[in-house]
Amino acid sequence: MATEPMYDVELTEDPFSLKVIRKDTNAVIWDTSVGSFVFADQFLQISTLLPSSNFYGLGEHEHPSFRHNMNYKTWGSFARDQGPNGDANLYGVHPFYTCLEEDTNAHGVLLFNSNAMDFTLQPTPALTYRTIGGVLDFYMFFGPTPEMVVQQYTEAIGRPYMPPYWSLGFQLCRYGYNSLARAREVVEGMRKYNIPHDVQYGDIDYMDRQLDFTYDKEGVYNGLPDFVRELQSQGTHYIIILDPAISATEPTGTYPPYDIGTKEGVFITVTKDGVEKELLGKVWPDYPNITDIKEEIDCDKAENSWTCGIEHYRAPSVFPDFQNPKTQNWWINLTVDFHDEIPYDGLWIDMNEPANFVVGSIEGCDYTNKLESPPYKPKIWGPVLAEKTICMAANNYRTATEKTTHYNMHSLFGWSQSEPTLRATRMATGERSIVVTRSTFPGSGKYGGHWLGDNASVWPHVHKSIIGMLEFGLFGIPYIGADICGFFDNTTEPLCRRWMQLGAFYPYSRNHNGIAYRPQDPAAFGDQFALDSKAVLLVRYTLLPYLYTLFYYAHTEGSTVVRPVMHEFVKDSSTYGIDRQFLWGAALHISPVLDEGATTVDVYFPDCRWYDYYTGVERSTSDRGKTRTLDAPLNHIPLHVRGGYIIPTQTPDNSTVFSRLLPMGLIVALDDEYTASGSLFWDDGDSIDTIENGQYYLASYAATKNGVQSSTNSNHESVDSLVMDNILVYGLDNVNRVVYKNQDHTNWEFSSITKVLSITELNHPMTSQLRVTWE
């Protein structure tokens, strides 16, 4: 219990129930008297009344709205190799929710449990938990604002990771370039139009037969290391994919990942007839003699090519047990050594639920075992728990010295892989680097980011990506985004155009698609599409100093980056269900087009001053608290700056490697009192633990109707060569004079129509405090 709790707890012994009550308002946060409490072997159930139906979170699923439908809806939770699809349980597990109380205070609740479970939402409103293992270990966070709830939650599970600056740039990937030559063509297309391009990826087709820690050096990816170095010299970083499954069928002595791993005992095992042996499944690795097999068996001609490929092409594989310290060392050593072959900049870890293309193992599972066939199966997809993964009775390390079963550890697999992978890539690169993981659990955000999985090139997935981003912000994983333009299916030019506009404002901005589908990189649709994509990405790059600063506050305070409108305007009930527009932090309002054929978008403007980002023109006061229909032609995404805030900017370029050297700027958006404030965090963008080591620059900015000035909280050499060159001020009545360094500054303009003051050519050293006045 907290030393000065914000709550009281009331217990009733018979029948057992408890209430948790907020002290200052007497609001009942939890009340389990609504339903029976069951604590049995392999079945635990508890229900609670909720203070309102303004209920958010619980994941990972493809929810149709950010605010939950409470009409008797049940969601299952168990990590699964499953793309977004209806009410399926997806890759990660996050039993955390936030809820608004009737007086607009907010709280959050975490059930810290990794076993399979489900949640039933009821219109009372009420919530019922059912889990088939572990304990009912609840943590409650009392805010009282929604942002404070997330800050308190991330204080408990681990603050979000601070990404390197370059990882905020635009990223390009596909499964199925199928050759280095094709990858070069795509990069050349980006260069032709000078489209920002900070990261290029290698998916599993760069490997030799989809084997980890290899590349196809004798085939279509011959020359890959030189290509990576060439990209890096041009300002583009390179991230490679690694899957956890390791082939167990290579000739002895030819494949160190398996040879060393089996010697060290790093793989998950199963006990059969009293004998413990490695559990074998099938994932992506192919047999050593795959060429001969394909000549004999052409699965492309089979009735079910996928099933045929699993049976005849995919080799038996083993699964590392990342809770075993020996496994962590094995993984780190291999990953560091592989950097000597391919000088990657970051790692993308996929298939780590863990995914398995056969049910349980190549020998099946023992369904007489109650772990494989529990008396209650939560509402998760699949007829058995082991579908798409490994047997529940498999042996897993729980701690460094204790073992348990996969039944208990399954949903922790991706989480347990993330931390040693981050250690490995940092050791390999000597820099901050980055890890992007598919499977997550509370605390995963401490080690990297996440993408929303194998979506499809369909219009509904554009909207649902916003919901997913907002939810992962609650879950403490702010480095989040969806595959821009869709992974499965052939995209269309109109869909991809609108998705590129939205994706320019994903924190993790990556265009990625699947094998054999039409190309969808920004240069694939012709000149106009390429130029429009470039234009919206240059807006992103202009705003990257602000985005990076938001990540600083996420890392140090636990704040959200992509933010629900409700978080900033919790007194306005009209914001509670908004999930078609969102904020970057508190200051930037983003309203994408999400519907096919639309050239307008309905935008709700909460009660404050709002300025068009592109022109600085203020919205009418009559728009406050109203929904307005805005024009959104094909090349336009509406953006608005909130009054009362200062946004740091920088002249953009086609890579952050180059843009970081260019002049900085400010957008000053005045509120009703003609004041504004903001901040800028800056470091070298690459080094490890710059914040913890005090190796950073942090400036605060404050403006009134008469001027703007800065104060430096922490100075650092990373800004030595930078200058503040331009300032835009929105919302002034009139300006006749601008003064800088006690002298009239001549490079300024004020529009009596737009009410925008534009100050240029300041050339002000970032190492000095700024003071500019006007009258």
Side-chain angles (χ1 to χ4, degrees):
M1 179 177 284
T3 54
E4 296 182 7
M6 300 169 65
Y7 56 88
D8 288 318
V9 178
E10 294 182 1
L11 288 173
T12 300
E13 291 187 4
D14 189 17
F16 173 81
S17 68
L18 64 87
K19 287 184 180 180
V20 180
I21 303 166
R22 189 186 291 275
K23 274 186 176 180
D24 58 345
T25 65
N26 290 320
V28 179
I29 305 303
W30 249 54
D31 181 356
T32 68
S33 64
V34 67
S36 59
F37 171 56
V38 180
F39 195 94
D41 185 32
Q42 290 187 278
F43 185 76
L44 293 80
Q45 175 179 291
I46 192 169
S47 299
T48 179
L49 292 169
L50 299 169
S52 86
S53 295
N54 296 308
F55 182 91
Y56 311 85
L58 300 180
E60 181 180 5
H61 313 100
E62 184 191 55
H63 294 140
S65 60
F66 180 49
R67 179 171 57 181
H68 273 280
N69 171 13
M70 304 297 290
N71 190 25
Y72 297 105
K73 180 64 179 177
T74 299
W75 297 95
S77 191
F78 194 58
R80 178 179 171 88
D81 172 15
Q82 177 63 57
N85 191 333
D87 59 359
N89 47 300
L90 305 186
Y91 313 102
V93 168
H94 293 275
F96 173 74
Y97 72 80
T98 67
C99 186
L100 293 182
E101 297 146 38
E102 291 298 337
D103 58 5
T104 74
N105 282 333
H107 67 273
V109 177
L110 167 69
L111 170 56
F112 199 49
N113 183 307
S114 63
N115 287 90
M117 66 181 76
D118 59 35
F119 322 98
T120 299
L121 308 176
Q122 300 137 65
T124 314
L127 166 65
T128 296
Y129 295 91
R130 301 178 192 88
T131 181
I132 59 173
V135 296
L136 297 176
D137 188 9
F138 288 100
Y139 293 77
M140 299 186 181
F141 308 90
F142 285 81
T145 70
E147 271 298 290
M148 290 176 69
V149 170
V150 177
Q151 290 166 356
Q152 293 157 5
Y153 177 56
T154 57
E155 184 178 16
I157 65 170
R159 296 293 198 206
Y161 171 77
M162 184 69 191
Y165 196 90
W166 56 263
S167 71
L168 302 184
F170 180 67
Q171 310 186 28
L172 194 56
C173 180
R174 83 164 295 164
Y175 169 34
Y177 286 127
N178 291 329
S179 72
L180 185 57
R182 176 56 187 153
R184 283 187 179 276
E185 288 177 2
V186 172
V187 172
E188 287 168 2
M190 299 292 284
R191 301 291 189 261
K192 174 183 176 181
Y193 295 102
N194 204 29
I195 299 170
H197 184 201
D198 259 271
V199 183
Q200 181 62 46
Y201 279 75
D203 206 328
I204 58 173
D205 52 295
Y206 82 85
M207 300 176 183
D208 180 16
R209 295 179 288 111
Q210 294 89 245
L211 300 178
D212 273 358
F213 307 111
T214 70
Y215 74 96
D216 189 9
K217 63 179 66 176
E218 303 300 328
V220 294
Y221 276 91
N222 179 37
L224 178 59
D226 289 338
F227 174 64
V228 171
R229 284 185 279 268
E230 179 184 333
L231 288 175
Q232 292 165 337
S233 72
Q234 298 170 352
T236 299
H237 295 75
Y238 198 75
I239 291 177
I240 60 169
I241 193 171
L242 290 174
D243 292 337
I246 299 295
S247 174
T249 59
E250 298 300 298
T252 301
T254 66
Y255 188 48
Y258 180 73
D259 293 336
I260 297 171
T262 193
K263 180 181 178 181
E264 294 289 325
V266 306
F267 301 119
I268 290 173
T269 62
V270 63
T271 302
K272 188 173 183 179
D273 298 327
V275 178
E276 187 173 350
K277 61 180 182 178
E278 293 169 351
L279 182 146
L280 296 174
K282 288 193 173 188
V283 195
W284 286 119
D286 281 341
Y287 280 105
N289 60 333
I290 186 63
T291 302
D292 295 336
I293 294 173
K294 286 185 174 181
E295 288 181 358
E296 181 180 344
I297 304 171
D298 186 354
C299 285
D300 289 338
K301 297 179 180 179
E303 182 177 350
N304 188 321
S305 60
W306 175 256
T307 301
C308 175
I310 294 170
E311 180 180 357
H312 297 290
Y313 297 171
R314 306 295 177 238
S317 297
V318 289
F319 300 85
D321 185 349
F322 287 101
Q323 284 292 91
N324 180 350
K326 289 184 177 180
T327 308
Q328 296 178 17
N329 292 333
W330 162 86
W331 182 255
I332 289 170
N333 291 337
L334 289 169
T335 304
V336 171
D337 288 347
F338 193 53
H339 189 266
D340 292 337
E341 289 200 65
I342 299 178
Y344 59 81
D345 297 289
L347 293 172
W348 168 27
I349 48 177
D350 194 10
M351 310 297 288
N352 56 352
E353 293 73 34
N356 186 5
F357 293 162
V358 297
V359 180
S361 77
I362 61 174
E363 297 179 344
C365 305
D366 177 7
Y367 293 106
T368 65
N369 188 320
K370 65 180 183 178
L371 299 181
E372 307 294 349
S373 305
Y376 175 78
K377 187 177 82 69
K379 191 179 179 183
I380 59 176
W381 275 30
V384 294
L385 298 180
E387 185 183 77
K388 287 197 167 189
T389 190
I390 64 178
C391 297
M392 295 296 104
N395 304 304
N396 259 141
Y397 275 81
R398 185 180 72 83
T399 67
T401 57
E402 298 178 13
K403 283 189 175 183
T404 182
T405 60
H406 195 69
Y407 182 87
N408 296 317
M409 300 300 293
H410 170 76
S411 292
L412 293 168
F413 190 96
W415 169 84
S416 69
Q417 185 188 15
S418 296
E419 189 276 335
T421 303
L422 180 61
R423 272 194 285 153
T425 188
R426 286 184 164 185
M427 290 174 63
T429 64
E431 296 178 339
R432 193 180 310 167
S433 193
I434 192 153
V435 172
V436 181
T437 177
R438 192 167 78 170
S439 187
T440 60
F441 190 78
S444 288
K446 186 177 179 181
Y447 309 115
H450 174 63
W451 84 106
L452 294 170
D454 295 344
N455 59 5
S457 297
V458 294
W459 283 94
H461 281 185
V462 186
H463 172 215
K464 289 176 181 178
S465 72
I466 299 176
I467 298 166
M469 280 199 301
L470 296 176
E471 290 181 337
F472 271 88
L474 302 184
F475 301 154
I477 306 178
Y479 190 78
I480 183 71
D483 286 349
I484 297 170
C485 300
F487 179 78
F488 285 120
D489 304 327
N490 289 313
T491 194
T492 65
E493 192 271 359
L495 172 62
C496 196
R497 175 184 293 276
R498 290 304 193 185
W499 214 330
M500 281 294 297
Q501 292 170 3
L502 168 60
F505 297 94
Y506 292 162
Y508 175 34
S509 182
R510 182 181 72 160
N511 181 313
H512 177 43
N513 69 328
I515 194 166
Y517 300 117
R518 69 175 295 181
Q520 62 186 40
D521 54 275
F525 295 97
D527 293 350
Q528 192 58 54
F529 187 99
L531 294 174
D532 290 347
S533 296
K534 174 184 176 180
V536 73
L537 288 173
L538 289 178
V539 173
R540 176 189 180 88
Y541 276 59
T542 299
L543 295 167
L544 283 186
Y546 176 58
L547 182 60
Y548 197 51
T549 301
L550 293 177
F551 270 100
Y552 163 76
Y553 286 111
H555 180 68
T556 57
E557 298 178 2
S559 303
T560 58
V561 174
V562 164
R563 190 166 300 173
V565 178
M566 175 267 289
H567 274 218
E568 289 295 315
F569 299 95
V570 71
K571 301 295 183 182
D572 182 352
S573 61
S574 296
T575 67
Y576 295 173
I578 290 177
D579 56 23
R580 296 175 67 90
Q581 56 196 74
F582 58 95
L583 298 164
W584 267 14
L588 185 70
H589 188 262
I590 300 155
S591 307
V593 173
L594 304 175
D595 300 311
E596 185 174 9
T599 55
T600 62
V601 61
D602 292 337
V603 178
Y604 180 75
F605 291 98
D607 186 9
C608 64
R609 295 182 86 175
W610 293 101
Y611 304 90
D612 184 283
Y613 167 81
Y614 304 97
T615 66
V617 174
E618 183 178 359
R619 299 294 305 181
S620 169
T621 55
S622 64
D623 292 344
R624 298 188 185 190
K626 300 290 193 303
T627 297
R628 299 301 189 208
T629 300
L630 306 187
D631 288 334
L634 294 179
N635 63 350
H636 183 73
I637 177 172
L639 305 173
H640 292 85
V641 181
R642 181 181 174 189
Y645 291 87
I646 297 175
I647 293 178
T649 64
Q650 189 167 37
T651 303
D653 209 322
N654 69 355
S655 164
T656 59
V657 172
F658 309 124
S659 67
R660 281 179 55 86
L661 307 175
L662 299 178
M664 309 289 288
L666 295 175
I667 297 174
V668 179
L670 299 173
D671 62 13
D672 287 330
E673 284 72 44
Y674 291 87
T675 65
S677 62
S679 57
L680 169 66
F681 169 83
W682 200 257
D683 61 5
D684 67 13
D686 262 330
S687 295
I688 300 168
D689 293 339
T690 59
I691 297 168
E692 291 74 9
N693 295 328
Q695 299 170 343
Y696 64 91
Y697 171 88
L698 183 62
S700 297
Y701 297 96
T704 67
K705 67 186 305 181
N706 301 117
V708 61
Q709 61 184 10
S710 71
S711 59
T712 304
N713 302 323
S714 178
N715 223 326
H716 186 253
E717 61 187 16
S718 57
V719 298
D720 284 356
S721 61
L722 294 177
V723 297
M724 177 69 67
D725 207 42
N726 61 86
I727 300 174
L728 292 171
V729 187
Y730 300 163
L732 290 169
D733 296 322
N734 193 35
V735 176
N736 296 304
R737 181 187 182 205
V738 173
V739 176
Y740 169 61
K741 291 186 176 179
N742 299 317
Q743 295 180 351
D744 283 348
H745 185 70
T746 58
N747 297 103
W748 64 273
E749 292 181 356
F750 179 78
S751 170
S752 59
I753 298 173
T754 64
K755 302 297 184 182
V756 173
L757 170 63
S758 175
I759 305 169
T760 59
E761 298 184 33
L762 285 171
N763 200 36
H764 176 81
M766 293 292 290
T767 52
S768 302
Q769 292 194 358
L770 172 72
R771 187 171 188 271
V772 179
T773 60
W774 48 80
E775 57 188 51

